[in-house]
């Protein structure tokens, strides 16, 4: 498969930036809204207007945390010609599901390879993102320049969301994994995808860590972050105060993560129960990364991303389980590797065992100048 559709924007005003994104991505946003209407109806027996009503509980929280991110959300809605509540609901869909005590399990496998572990001393970060197969038609790349006061960024994301994985012109890279703790109850607090967007505005890992450890959050998640300077770490978080975090540091220069906590946490790891292949995936991933440490390349990471291990169809490279009804099936939607040293994205749309990586560099060749 080729690269996902590319959306490019050069706009400092957050509302206008969102509006431009919405205008360009309208077709894909409409598909996202249709998909999530079906997801919520299947898992929670809710019609979409009811989902939008639930989302309103988060509007004030987002505005207090970041008026600019809320303005961007509203701009996306207006640009796409859909309700502002529709795009808000897409960006808080995880929290709504937790609040309804119905969460369709998602899977992701993420990895970091620092300069001591790579063949050429580059800093590599990546992820297999696993979700609904219909997301093959809703996934886009957003290549965004946001004026002189914030870094430009690239994110691979479902249309309508403000961010998922990616990196910025300050050399900060981000991948992520959903986690599930007993505290995931969907209480109004800063949503998961809003944190992801905020990380892509950071210019240092110290700033990333401050963001992730100083605000009350609504959902559990792992944020695997790295810098072009060579440093990388994971922050495992769960709902509540900013102090509800645990840190994962590299072993042999690498980190592997999935949908389970790898640190000791003061509660039962529900994700390890509801997504039982998560611990097996992270064990296989870490072993492969540590064995290859010192010689890791983009190609080597792509080979690791192709692994089915003993878990098919639920391996690192995930395939739909044909025994399940279509709305419940999961598959690897994108496999991405970010070279933070050269600010290059290598992206595979679809299962990596069947598709090659495509190289992508920002359409703004000057975006990295002066900020890194």
């Amino acid at each position: 498969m080729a690269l996902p559709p590319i959306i490019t924007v050069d706009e400092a005003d957050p509302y206008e930036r969102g509006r431009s994104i919405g205008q360009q991505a309208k077709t894909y946003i409409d598909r996202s809204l249709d998909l999530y209407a079906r997801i919520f109806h299947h898992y929670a027996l809710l019609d979409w207007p009811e989902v939008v009503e639930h989302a309103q509980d988060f509007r004030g929280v987002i505005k207090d945390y970041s008026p600019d991110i809320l303005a961007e959300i509203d701009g996306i809605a207006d640009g796409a010609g859909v309700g502002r509540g529709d795009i808000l609901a897409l960006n808080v869909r995880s929290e709504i599901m937790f609040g309804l005590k119905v969460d369709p399990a998602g899977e992701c496998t993420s990895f970091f390879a620092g300069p001591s572990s790579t063949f050429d001393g580059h800093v590599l970060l990546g992820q297999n993102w696993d979700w609904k197969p219909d997301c093959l038609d809703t996934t886009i790349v957003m290549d965004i320049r946001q004026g002189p006061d914030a870094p430009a960024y690239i994110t691979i994301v479902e249309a309508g969301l403000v961010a998922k994985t990616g990196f910025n012109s300050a050399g900060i890279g981000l991948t992520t994994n959903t986690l599930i703790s007993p505290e995931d109850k969907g209480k109004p607090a800063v949503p998961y995808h809003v944190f992801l967007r905020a990380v892509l505005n950071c210019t240092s890992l110290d700033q990333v860590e401050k963001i992730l450890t100083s605000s009350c959050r609504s959902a559990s998640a792992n944020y695997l972050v790295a810098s072009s300077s060579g440093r990388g770490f994971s922050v495992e978080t769960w709902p509540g105060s900013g102090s509800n975090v645990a840190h994962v540091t590299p072993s042999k220069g690498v980190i592997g993560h999935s949908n389970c906590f790898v640190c000791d946490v003061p509660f039962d790891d529900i994700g390890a129960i509801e997504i039982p292949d998560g611990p097996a995936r992270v064990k296989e991933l870490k072993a492969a990364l540590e064995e290859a440490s010192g010689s890791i390349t983009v190609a080597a990471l792509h080979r690791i991303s192709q692994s089915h291990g003993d878990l098919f169809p639920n391996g690192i490279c995930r395939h739909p389980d044909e025994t399940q009804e279509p709305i419940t099936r999961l598959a690897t939607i994108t496999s991405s590797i970010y070279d933070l040293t050269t600010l290059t994205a290598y992206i595979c749309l679809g299962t990596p065992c069947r598709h090659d990586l495509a190289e992508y560099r920002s359409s703004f060749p000057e975006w990295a100048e002066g900020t890194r």
Side-chain angles (χ1 to χ4, degrees), residues 152-154 165-169 172-174 200 338 340 343-345 367:
Y153 67 91
I154 290 172
T165 74
F167 61 86
N168 68 22
S169 57
I172 301 300
L174 165 70
L200 289 176
Y338 306 129
L340 300 182
L343 294 183
T344 305
W367 74 323

Side-chain angles (χ1 to χ4, degrees), residues 347-366:
I347 306 168
C348 168
L349 180 63
T351 50
C353 68
R354 296 176 178 172
H355 304 285
D356 294 328
L357 293 168
E359 180 178 319
Y360 182 74
R361 291 177 181 265
S362 171
S363 62
F364 305 116
E366 72 279 20

Side-chain angles (χ1 to χ4, degrees), residues 267-287:
F267 47 75
D268 291 332
D269 183 356
I270 296 177
I273 299 170
E274 295 193 1
I275 312 173
D277 50 89
R281 280 184 290 118
V282 74
K283 181 179 180 180
E284 179 189 352
L285 176 63
K286 288 177 66 177

Side-chain angles (χ1 to χ4, degrees), residues 71-145:
E72 198 168 281
I73 288 171
D74 288 343
I76 292 171
D78 293 352
V82 301
R84 291 185 173 187
D86 293 328
I87 301 302
L88 178 65
L90 287 180
N91 281 279
V92 300
R93 90 288 177 105
S94 302
E95 290 75 14
I96 296 171
M97 278 290 186
F98 281 128
L100 297 169
K101 297 181 173 59
V102 184
D103 183 60
E107 297 192 3
C108 294
T109 311
S110 59
F111 44 83
F112 161 75
S116 67
S117 71
T118 59
F119 175 77
D120 53 10
H122 286 204
V123 182
L124 303 177
L125 185 70
Q127 174 164 349
N128 275 13
W129 170 52
D130 305 344
W131 194 222
K132 304 299 182 182
D134 282 354
C135 287
L136 288 168
D137 295 321
T138 68
T139 298
I140 60 175
V141 175
M142 297 201 307
D143 186 343
I144 310 296
R145 189 173 180 178

